[in-house]
Amino acid sequence: MQPVRIKIYGLVPMKRRTYLTMQATGVALLLVVLIVWLVLRGWQTPTDLPPVDVLTRTTESPTGEIVIKKTYTHVFGAPYSLYVWKYVPALLGLVLFLEALETWAVLRRFRKAELLQRVSEPAIPADPQP
């Protein structure tokens, strides 16, 4: 019986072992990022960052009109990268959850493909006729 291959993302045909190796590598990389975050989390991270939703400033122009300026690179002087840095564990948790869902769905596809392969295989007689 040949090992079952299914297309992952509709592009790459893989065996179950290859897919699980790829997923294990992804989880290992997530853990490395989490460990780096734990080691460096106190480094230049303010504890009281302003809320992210305050992204606009209103000013009055010389003609008396109110002008709304949007700031895309900083929020009250704090760069967005600090917000990302602050929420790294939550982002990693989300990625890990999505990866677990994908693994569950792909392993179900492998199981279905293996069942189809077993059912479609011709039965071998117990005692062959000469």
Side-chain angles (χ1 to χ4, degrees):
M1 182 164 76
Q2 292 288 331
V4 174
R5 290 178 181 252
I6 63 169
K7 284 192 174 185
I8 308 296
Y9 311 121
L11 299 171
V12 183
M14 284 189 193
K15 298 178 197 173
R16 179 191 297 255
R17 186 173 185 167
T18 306
Y19 177 74
L20 290 175
T21 302
M22 183 182 73
Q23 292 299 91
T25 304
V27 169
L29 288 175
L30 283 175
L31 290 176
V32 166
V33 170
L34 181 63
I35 289 169
V36 167
W37 182 84
L38 287 171
V39 169
L40 299 177
R41 70 178 169 183
W43 178 71
Q44 293 182 350
T45 306
T47 56
D48 54 344
L49 289 173
V52 178
D53 58 351
V54 184
L55 297 175
T56 59
R57 293 185 183 154
T58 57
T59 57
E60 195 169 324
S61 68
T63 59
E65 297 175 343
I66 295 178
V67 178
I68 298 174
K69 293 184 180 180
K70 293 186 178 185
T71 56
Y72 293 105
T73 56
H74 292 78
V75 179
F76 290 118
Y80 283 140
S81 59
L82 289 180
Y83 288 100
V84 173
W85 181 253
K86 181 178 177 181
Y87 296 111
V88 163
L91 294 172
L92 291 179
L94 177 67
V95 169
L96 190 61
F97 175 72
L98 293 174
E99 191 168 337
L101 280 178
E102 177 202 351
T103 303
W104 176 74
V106 170
L107 288 178
R108 279 187 63 201
R109 286 184 56 207
F110 271 114
R111 193 175 331 128
K112 287 180 183 179
E114 287 170 353
L115 279 173
L116 285 174
Q117 184 182 28
R118 284 184 193 147
V119 169
S120 65
E121 242 179 36
I124 300 173
D127 51 340
Q129 299 289 329

